[in-house]
Amino acid sequence: MHWNYWPIVFLGISTLFALVARRWIDASWAACFAVFMVFDRMLPTAIPWQLKYTFLGVGVIVIAVQVAKNYSRYKKSLLAR
């Protein structure tokens, strides 16, 4: 296995661990980035660029929503004090 494939392997393992731990948000963004990286390794004619970047966009949106939720909870806890 070439060293260039290790990020894909680690994201796949991370997805499996997140699924076992029932951390659905972590599993979904890790899977999206793993699929994007697999598609990025293929020839440009094999996968349409829209499909490849859709997975990247979904992964970024999932992370942004999670960060926004955590920030909202943090602000509410500060207001409650």
Side-chain angles (χ1 to χ4, degrees):
M1 179 181 294
H2 195 268
W3 67 269
N4 207 11
Y5 293 110
W6 282 111
I8 296 170
V9 171
F10 288 138
L11 282 170
I13 292 170
S14 172
T15 301
L16 292 176
F17 283 152
L19 286 173
V20 168
R22 294 185 180 197
R23 296 180 54 105
W24 311 119
I25 299 294
D26 293 338
S28 61
W29 72 256
C32 285
F33 286 125
V35 169
F36 169 75
M37 292 180 82
V38 167
F39 285 171
D40 197 40
R41 303 284 193 273
M42 293 182 171
L43 292 173
T45 56
I47 299 293
W49 66 270
Q50 296 95 341
L51 181 63
K52 180 172 73 171
Y53 287 108
T54 298
F55 281 102
L56 178 65
V58 168
V60 169
I61 289 171
V62 167
I63 290 175
V65 166
Q66 188 64 26
V67 167
K69 280 184 183 178
N70 289 341
Y71 182 72
S72 174
R73 286 186 203 138
Y74 171 73
K75 290 298 266 185
K76 286 180 184 176
S77 72
L78 285 180
L79 290 174
R81 292 182 191 175

